[in-house]
Amino acid sequence: YQTSVLTVTRALLAAIAGALDLRTDFFDQRMTDPECFLRMMHYEPHPPDASGQPPVLTDPHTDYGLITLLATDGVGGLEVRRRDGAWIAVAAPPGSLVVNLGDMLARWTNDRYVSTPHRVHAPAGSDRYSAPFFANPDPSTEVACLPSCVGAERPRRYPPVTASEFLRQRIAEGGYMADAAADS
């Protein structure tokens, strides 16, 4: 599974690189020994809360790494937050992958691309299974604002850091990926 999902990851990253005016192998050159995590998630059904809404099972968060590919069983519950703050349900039929952009990609692109805030509601009446694959480059990769993402109207917002240092800093701050790393 990891080999297959890494192939999809590389294809997505090649498209992102092309959109950023980079060589399409820019990310691939930095993914020779990637630091990735696969997590198996099971959400049990819960009764609605006092207002009749399904309870939120995960606090709103972003993923720390480069990108996340999420395989689901087609049972709803995942929501993403739009830039205007509204939450929308993600339709993910069985066999599809949901792609979340992570904090590392946001930093690399100087926030030209932003990470995807998301949360999970309890499934209504059935169990929900998902398998997020957190894709990150080689630990020694330098994550520095890309030249095509810096300019007079978009000054550099972040100093360079290695991928390993970035993940370590985000995990030390606590949160979702800290739990995922502990489970791997």
Side-chain angles (χ1 to χ4, degrees):
Y1 179 78
Q2 182 166 317
T3 300
S4 296
V5 79
L6 272 172
T7 299
V8 173
T9 297
R10 285 185 169 92
L12 289 168
L13 291 173
I16 290 170
L20 295 169
D21 298 323
L22 301 169
R23 290 174 44 127
T24 57
D25 65 350
F26 174 85
F27 291 107
D28 199 44
Q29 292 175 356
R30 290 150 178 85
M31 301 273 300
T32 58
D33 190 22
E35 187 172 28
C36 301
F37 302 98
L38 176 64
R39 189 169 190 195
M40 307 302 279
M41 309 287 291
H42 171 229
Y43 301 96
E44 295 180 359
H46 288 73
D49 63 19
S51 68
Q53 297 297 312
V56 175
L57 300 179
T58 63
D59 289 332
H61 64 278
T62 57
D63 295 338
Y64 298 170
L66 189 56
I67 64 171
T68 302
L69 299 180
L70 177 69
T72 72
D73 60 359
V75 174
L78 178 64
E79 293 183 327
V80 295
R81 188 173 62 215
R82 296 186 329 199
R83 289 185 182 208
D84 67 5
W87 289 96
I88 57 172
V90 174
S96 66
L97 291 172
V98 175
V99 179
N100 285 337
L101 303 182
D103 297 340
M104 187 182 300
L105 184 63
R107 184 182 183 116
W108 226 331
T109 64
N110 203 32
D111 293 328
R112 180 170 165 186
Y113 292 140
V114 295
S115 45
T116 311
H118 54 283
R119 65 184 182 187
V120 176
H121 278 281
S126 67
D127 292 271
R128 179 179 187 272
Y129 295 90
S130 66
F133 179 77
F134 304 99
N136 303 299
D138 304 341
S140 61
T141 297
E142 181 180 70
V143 178
C145 295
L146 298 167
S148 63
C149 299
V150 176
E153 70 289 342
R154 184 181 287 275
R156 185 177 315 274
R157 295 179 178 149
Y158 308 104
V161 65
T162 66
S164 178
E165 290 170 317
F166 179 77
L167 290 174
R168 214 176 6 256
Q169 289 169 0
R170 294 292 286 131
I171 290 168
E173 294 168 6
Y176 189 72
M177 272 300 291
D179 296 337
D183 289 349
S184 297

